[in-house]
Amino acid sequence: MPKDFWDSISARYDRIMENDSQMKLLHKGILDRLPLSAQTVLDLGAGTGVLLEKIARRKGIQRLVWFDPSKKMRIKARQRLNGEKKVEYMIGNASRLKFKSGTFDAVVSNFALHHLTHGEKAACAREIWRVLKENGVFIFGDQHCRRMGTPDDPVWVGEIFSLLCKKADFYLTYGSLERMLLQVSLMPEFLLAKGEILATVEYWSGCLKSAGFEGIEIAAVKPVPLYNRIIVAHKRSAP
Ligand SMILES: C[S@@+](CC[C@H](N)C(=O)[O-])C[C@H]1O[C@@H](n2cnc3c(N)ncnc32)[C@H](O)[C@@H]1O
């Protein structure tokens, strides 16, 4: 995936996603699981700020952080959030979080962490655990795959190709031609695991457990065969 891919798509992103029902379900699923007591929230891979805008409207929210590597996505998010004083912006990679330990009540993320390499995913889980306060929660929606594999495994490539075809078909039927074309244009990145690096929910659970998280819950988001899941993980208080 070209380094500037997200910059280059930022102007069209909201329009492409406008009719994407799975994205709406994922955002709702994350919001429904965000504790009402959360006052400080970090959104990793926040993009144009659709999820952050919804979180900002909730009572009790004091500090929200938009976090993403794309400067042009930041421009779009700033336009959307239009002077919202609770929101701060930070450019960066989700596997390296430049915040003090114990900063946030909640960390959220949607459709972003599959861009990390598998090694970065493990580092990201450790970083999220570090920046959460005790009793903090990580709520994460993303696309996953049925089993781990690499592009040199023809069986894995076949499975991913079949999954991508289902996604493209879903987008064309229930979304828009533009959404389907975006999915199709990204097929090489998924099949070569370059920038679109699917993992299983079990892989993520392992990363989260190794990082110290407990009480990990996994919920399927429709359409179930597309492997969209929401994972919730808790940082319990010290004994
Ligand atoms: C599909 S968009 C999702 C945006 C938003 N979360 C939403 O729900 O609409 C993926 C976002 O992940 C961001 N991203 C890509 N690589 C990332 C990384 N290493 N760390 C954090 N965010 C990343 C991209 O810049 C982009 O804004």
Side-chain angles (χ1 to χ4, degrees), residues 14-70:
D14 284 339
R15 199 182 65 244
I16 296 175
M17 295 297 166
E18 203 171 54
N19 299 318
D20 187 337
S21 57
Q22 60 161 15
M23 223 49 148
K24 292 189 173 80
L25 285 177
L26 283 161
H27 287 158
K28 181 175 181 324
I30 293 169
L31 280 170
D32 288 349
R33 289 167 174 82
L34 185 64
L36 291 172
S37 56
Q39 298 181 335
T40 50
V41 181
L42 167 67
D43 184 354
L44 298 175
T48 60
V50 184
L51 182 60
L52 266 188
E53 185 183 30
K54 295 190 168 102
I55 297 174
R57 286 194 206 125
R58 286 181 39 157
K59 272 194 191 153
I61 292 291
Q62 290 179 359
R63 181 185 178 204
L64 288 174
V65 180
W66 174 101
F67 189 99
D68 197 291
S70 165

Side-chain angles (χ1 to χ4, degrees), residues 6-7 13-14 17 23 27 43-51 66-70 73 92-95 109-116 120:
W6 293 103
D7 278 350
Y13 183 82
D14 284 339
M17 295 297 166
M23 223 49 148
H27 287 158
D43 184 354
L44 298 175
T48 60
V50 184
L51 182 60
W66 174 101
F67 189 99
D68 197 291
S70 165
M73 284 292 200
N93 182 315
S95 61
S109 182
N110 184 55
F111 245 65
L113 300 184
H114 65 275
H115 300 307
L116 304 179
E120 285 175 330

